[in-house]
Amino acid sequence: MTTTDPFLGGSRPFGLGYWPLPDDDPGVGVQREAVRLVSPDGALVRGVLWTPPIGTPWKTAVILSHPRGDFSVHYACPLLAAAGYAVLGFGTRYMNNDTDCLHEACITDVQTAHDEMVRRGAEAVVLLGNSGGGSLMAMANAELGIGDGWVGMAAHPGEGVFMLQVIDPSVIDEADPFATNPELDMYHPDNGWRPWPEPCTYDPAWVERYRAAQIERVARIDAVAKESIDASREVLADLQTVNKGDDPAAWRELRRRAVFTKYLTIYRTLADPAYLDLSIDPDDRAMGSLFAFPDPFDANYGRGGLARTMTARGWLSTWSGLSSGARLADTMPQVKVPTLLIHPTADTEIRVWQAKEIVAATGA
């Protein structure tokens, strides 16, 4: 059976079943249980508990999640369960929508899952993080002291650090997605770009300037986000001096300004020169990006990229490489439990040198 994309045309297979390939099916009858938990601050944490076949005892639990991804059906869950572990794959309160994602709240959800597995009898709980889940689980261990082991699978240095390498620094007006400084545009022929699928060649000195400009753009967005939050805090202080019963009109005006949430629209967030120039940080990857379809140029300007709409606080907590507390460079030195990092050398997003830095930074 096939289904047709109503917008782009074409068809794709439908109803293939859970396993992409027959060899992926462990075929040993692992068990599944829907799990619904409530965090201490009232958030819903949902997932699937995978356990070994009936009659097979388990002692160690593995929990895995991602700031916005649904890891209840992560491919590692049934395989680890078949190997004898209890595995709780779950989604945080921000599953499928990280617009207001606060890592500081996400780690509360991680602790909720951790404590549930301890309640169920786990003698040890391993924190497993895939992609952005790696920095989430490391932050949970560093900040909350939970977990008896940390495993990173294709773990990048942090959501914000990743944004630093993919954000388009040629944007000169955050309100205009087409406003561009051509000298900093990786998709401009004068800088080495060629139309897909031709490979591109960027001068190393230009790339160095490009990377510095990426940091500068993130800093500008940070400044806007912080200004909005500071303004709300100042009004909140004034609000404390007004009695809503005595002066409801004044209280109303201050209240709406105190709770105001600024939303940031962040255009063009798929612009890493290494996508199109494989001589930059060479490894086994193919040209292009996991987030493109298939040309990063189209995804940079169209549907694609990350962090396109964020609250001010969500941007600072999750996607700012300058402000987020979920940076492995900061948290890994505090991760002193047994640590394992698995890096796929054909990953289009994470470089070998980054994986080596994560290992070098760990306190284990």
Side-chain angles (χ1 to χ4, degrees), residues 58-62 84-87 122-126:
W58 58 269
K59 294 182 179 180
T60 299
V62 179
Y85 301 96
V87 187
E123 296 179 8
V125 179
V126 176

Side-chain angles (χ1 to χ4, degrees), residues 284-308:
D284 301 322
R285 70 186 185 276
M287 194 170 71
S289 167
L290 171 70
F291 301 106
F293 41 89
D295 185 355
F297 174 94
D298 291 348
N300 190 54
Y301 285 94
R303 297 184 304 278
L306 298 162
R308 290 304 180 87

Side-chain angles (χ1 to χ4, degrees), residues 171-221:
V171 171
I172 57 177
D173 182 350
E174 296 296 333
D176 182 353
F178 295 107
T180 302
N181 176 356
E183 294 181 2
L184 291 171
D185 188 355
M186 67 167 275
Y187 298 111
H188 195 293
D190 289 351
N191 299 322
W193 174 80
R194 295 295 179 270
W196 181 274
E198 293 183 50
C200 304
T201 302
Y202 301 104
D203 180 79
W206 179 86
V207 173
E208 184 175 353
R209 180 187 174 197
Y210 186 94
R211 297 301 190 198
Q214 287 179 303
I215 295 173
E216 291 171 1
R217 184 182 174 199
V218 169
R220 292 195 300 270
I221 298 173

Side-chain angles (χ1 to χ4, degrees), residues 2-332:
T2 61
T3 184
T4 300
D5 188 316
F7 299 103
L8 301 179
S11 61
R12 59 179 175 80
F14 182 78
L16 289 176
Y18 183 79
W19 302 103
L21 297 172
D23 291 345
D24 290 332
D25 188 346
V28 293
V30 296
Q31 304 176 82
R32 288 180 290 181
E33 173 192 344
V35 174
R36 291 173 294 278
L37 307 170
V38 177
S39 71
D41 60 343
L44 180 62
V45 179
R46 293 172 290 183
V48 174
L49 175 62
W50 302 71
T51 50
I54 295 175
T56 304
W58 58 269
K59 294 182 179 180
T60 299
V62 179
I63 64 172
L64 60 158
S65 190
H66 186 279
R68 67 188 174 281
D70 179 6
F71 273 19
S72 65
V73 290
H74 190 281
Y75 65 85
C77 292
L79 302 176
L80 288 168
Y85 301 96
V87 187
L88 178 55
F90 65 97
T92 74
R93 66 190 70 190
Y94 304 110
M95 188 168 66
N96 296 330
N97 182 5
D98 69 351
T99 302
D100 191 38
C101 179
L102 304 180
H103 269 72
E104 294 76 9
C106 283
I107 62 175
T108 298
D109 299 344
V110 174
Q111 177 147 29
T112 301
H114 169 276
D115 292 351
E116 173 64 12
M117 296 316 298
V118 171
R119 186 189 70 80
R120 288 175 179 251
E123 296 179 8
V125 179
V126 176
L127 311 179
L128 190 156
N130 183 184
S131 188
S135 52
L136 171 62
M137 292 298 177
M139 185 178 181
N141 177 264
E143 296 289 331
L144 304 177
I146 59 173
D148 303 290
W150 180 89
V151 177
M153 296 169 54
H156 55 62
E159 303 270 87
V161 179
F162 176 69
M163 179 57 65
L164 281 173
Q165 75 186 43
V166 298
I167 197 165
D168 189 337
S170 68
V171 171
I172 57 177
D173 182 350
E174 296 296 333
D176 182 353
F178 295 107
T180 302
N181 176 356
E183 294 181 2
L184 291 171
D185 188 355
M186 67 167 275
Y187 298 111
H188 195 293
D190 289 351
N191 299 322
W193 174 80
R194 295 295 179 270
W196 181 274
E198 293 183 50
C200 304
T201 302
Y202 301 104
D203 180 79
W206 179 86
V207 173
E208 184 175 353
R209 180 187 174 197
Y210 186 94
R211 297 301 190 198
Q214 287 179 303
I215 295 173
E216 291 171 1
R217 184 182 174 199
V218 169
R220 292 195 300 270
I221 298 173
D222 276 18
V224 172
K226 290 177 180 178
E227 181 180 11
S228 173
I229 292 173
D230 288 345
S232 293
R233 286 175 176 167
E234 290 175 6
V235 175
L236 184 60
D238 294 336
L239 181 63
Q240 307 307 313
T241 67
V242 177
N243 186 302
K244 62 182 177 182
D246 296 336
D247 193 348
W251 184 89
R252 170 192 174 278
E253 181 62 22
L254 290 171
R255 180 65 179 173
R256 69 174 186 157
R257 293 181 180 277
V259 300
F260 173 74
T261 298
K262 186 176 184 64
Y263 283 81
L264 309 172
T265 302
I266 302 147
Y267 294 106
R268 292 160 54 183
T269 58
L270 207 68
D272 183 354
Y275 286 149
L276 303 179
D277 184 348
L278 298 182
S279 71
I280 300 173
D281 301 325
D283 52 18
D284 301 322
R285 70 186 185 276
M287 194 170 71
S289 167
L290 171 70
F291 301 106
F293 41 89
D295 185 355
F297 174 94
D298 291 348
N300 190 54
Y301 285 94
R303 297 184 304 278
L306 298 162
R308 290 304 180 87
T309 304
M310 298 294 299
T311 63
R313 67 177 193 171
W315 165 265
L316 294 171
S317 177
T318 294
W319 284 114
S320 169
L322 304 178
S323 299
S324 173
R327 304 191 324 158
L328 290 184
D330 298 329
T331 58
M332 286 307 291

